[in-house]
Amino acid sequence: MSQNPSDILTHCESGVMTITLNRVDKKNSITAAMYGAMADALVQAEADPAMRAVVLQGHETVFSAGNDIGDFLNQPPATAESPVYRFLHGIAGFSKPLIAAVCGPAVGVGTTMLFHCDLVYAGDNAAFSMPFVNLGLCPEAASSLLVPQMFGYHRAAEALLLGEPFFAEAALEVGLVNRIVPPTEVNAVAQGAARKLALKPLSSLIETKRLMKKGQAAQVAAQMAEEGATFGRMLREPAAREAFGAFMEKRKPDFSRF
């Protein structure tokens, strides 16, 4: 497990907490320790009345390559208290405005976490992908519910069954992204939106978000639980073992027997 405290940076200023994925040499791939740090930061932001909004950001060249595969295989999430699930439940249930600034690749959880954000700003270099099927797995973070709701079924099937990348313009068209700007401007645009929100009454922000999400909160929790159980089972099955083995050995997987 990565123990580097600088892999996740948090900064609080003017009512805004900024959480930065800062493992650029590893394409911001996320370890269990990083999930734990982000989950803790969200708990802190939730509890602090001075914090009015949270920004999640990466680097102008990469948002996140998804799970750190080596770390993930060494300690797969076993329970609801696993750092990854603590983080996913943390973003799904976060009561204050949550803003994402996304540049470059956003793979797997790098995309699925965005469905729980309230505002998403993307660089024109953003590339989103949810390649769970290609790893012998199923979707997570309630994305099997939220992607069809947002994209419509056929586009969701394209994104989740083929698992191929789609880019900023397509993300804007289906409503995943609010605005596209040059990569060097994305973090500043997200900060600008967060600062606007931080000047508004917190009770109004929280109640408006609660009312918008109220209808699907129980559904999201149930879907996340079912996905988690299915994901855990599939992780132990031959297709996933072949996919991850091929990834580590830098070869093409052969799923003809599964």
Side-chain angles (χ1 to χ4, degrees), residues 16-19 42 45 52-56 94 96-100 194:
V16 177
M17 175 185 281
T18 303
I19 302 173
L42 289 172
R52 303 294 184 97
V54 169
V55 174
L56 282 166
F94 193 68
K96 300 175 184 179
L98 192 55
I99 301 156

Side-chain angles (χ1 to χ4, degrees), residues 36-93:
M38 290 191 291
D40 291 345
L42 289 172
V43 169
Q44 181 191 333
E46 186 77 71
D48 184 351
M51 289 299 106
R52 303 294 184 97
V54 169
V55 174
L56 282 166
Q57 65 181 29
H59 187 265
E60 61 189 51
T61 61
V62 62
F63 183 64
S64 176
N67 282 316
D68 179 298
I69 299 293
D71 182 82
F72 183 74
L73 293 177
N74 284 337
Q75 43 178 359
T79 69
E81 291 307 303
S82 299
V84 60
Y85 291 129
R86 280 185 58 228
F87 170 69
L88 293 178
H89 287 295
I91 55 169

Side-chain angles (χ1 to χ4, degrees), residues 10 17 41-42 59 100 125 128 133 138 140 144 193 207 209 226 228 234 237 248:
T10 58
M17 175 185 281
L42 289 172
H59 187 265
N125 63 341
F128 307 88
V133 164
C138 70
E140 32 88 300
S144 57
E207 287 303 319
K209 177 169 175 173
E226 185 170 351
M234 296 188 80
E237 291 176 350
M248 299 308 259

Side-chain angles (χ1 to χ4, degrees), residues 5 14 46 53 84 95 112 171 183 188 192 233 238 256:
S14 304
E46 186 77 71
V84 60
S95 72
T112 60
R233 171 177 57 76
S256 59

